[in-house]
Amino acid sequence: PGPLKRWLMYRVKIPRRPYRAISSYHGSAFWSLTAPCVDYILDFVRRNPDYSRFHRWTFLPEEVFFQSIVKSSPFADRISHDFEQLADGEELPANEYAVTFIDWDVGDSFHPALLTERHYEAIARSPCLFARKFDERESAALRARIERDLLRAD
C-alpha cells in the first residue's frame, strides 16, 4: 500500500460492521491450496463482490481474506494448521504436508525466526518445498549450504 493507506491502517481505526455472510478467520499467508479449493474461492468471490470491497481497508488482508472463505467452505476440515482447534497455549504441530518451512519457536515474538545455518539439518530433513524467512546477510551461509548440498543437480 501507499504511504497514506499504510498510515491509515496503522493509526486510524475505521469503524465498520463485520462481514456477515461468513465468519472472519485468520491464519498464515504461507499455505497451499488444491485446485478444487481455488475454484471454490474464485466462485465465492464472483458470487460475493461485496466481500472484496469489505476487505479494501482490512489490516493484513492476506491473513484473513482467503482463510475466511476456506474456513466457511466444504474444505474447512482439511485445514492442517487450524488455529481454532488449538487449546490455549498449545503449539501448532509440525505438519508433514506443509510446503513452507517456518521456525515459529521464537518465544513471545509474532514473527518467525530468521533462518540461519543452525536450521540446516531441520530444513534438510523437511519435506517442504519452500522456506521462510531468509535475510541476505544473516542467512548467506545457510543459503550457500542449501544450494551446494540440497539443490545440486546429480
Side-chain angles (χ1 to χ4, degrees), residues 124-137:
R125 286 190 312 271
S126 169
C128 295
L129 301 173
F130 307 98
R132 167 171 195 248
K133 164 179 183 179
F134 290 93
D135 176 81
E136 188 172 350
R137 283 178 277 172

Side-chain angles (χ1 to χ4, degrees), residues 4-154:
L4 176 59
K5 186 174 180 183
R6 193 174 311 115
W7 183 84
L8 286 170
M9 288 187 327
Y10 286 106
R11 305 276 191 248
V12 178
K13 294 283 186 185
I14 300 172
R16 62 182 177 163
R17 295 186 182 118
Y19 187 77
R20 300 214 184 272
I22 60 174
S23 296
S24 183
Y25 176 76
H26 75 282
S28 174
F30 295 89
W31 53 330
S32 59
L33 301 169
T34 62
C37 186
V38 170
D39 290 340
Y40 181 90
I41 291 168
L42 293 173
D43 183 58
F44 179 89
V45 171
R46 271 192 296 275
R47 288 183 293 107
N48 299 280
D50 59 325
Y51 185 71
S52 294
R53 282 192 304 274
F54 174 83
H55 285 285
R56 182 172 180 198
W57 293 98
T58 299
F59 183 67
L60 299 172
E62 72 276 12
E63 294 182 357
V64 70
F65 186 92
F66 300 105
Q67 293 82 345
S68 297
I69 296 171
V70 174
K71 183 66 175 179
S72 68
S73 78
F75 300 93
D77 63 342
R78 298 186 206 170
I79 297 172
S80 64
H81 288 78
D82 189 339
F83 296 103
E84 290 183 346
Q85 302 300 320
L86 298 176
D88 285 342
E90 184 180 1
E91 302 262 334
L92 285 172
N95 186 327
E96 63 189 89
Y97 301 110
V99 295
T100 304
F101 179 91
I102 303 173
D103 179 2
W104 285 106
D105 188 16
V106 289
D108 291 337
S109 176
F110 291 108
H111 304 283
L114 186 62
L115 299 179
T116 63
E117 201 162 11
R118 73 179 174 88
H119 292 95
Y120 177 80
E121 294 301 327
I123 291 171
R125 286 190 312 271
S126 169
C128 295
L129 301 173
F130 307 98
R132 167 171 195 248
K133 164 179 183 179
F134 290 93
D135 176 81
E136 188 172 350
R137 283 178 277 172
E138 299 290 324
S139 306
L142 172 63
R143 288 179 30 240
R145 191 168 175 196
I146 289 171
E147 289 173 15
R148 183 185 67 238
D149 298 345
L150 300 179
L151 299 178
R152 68 176 182 262
D154 290 332

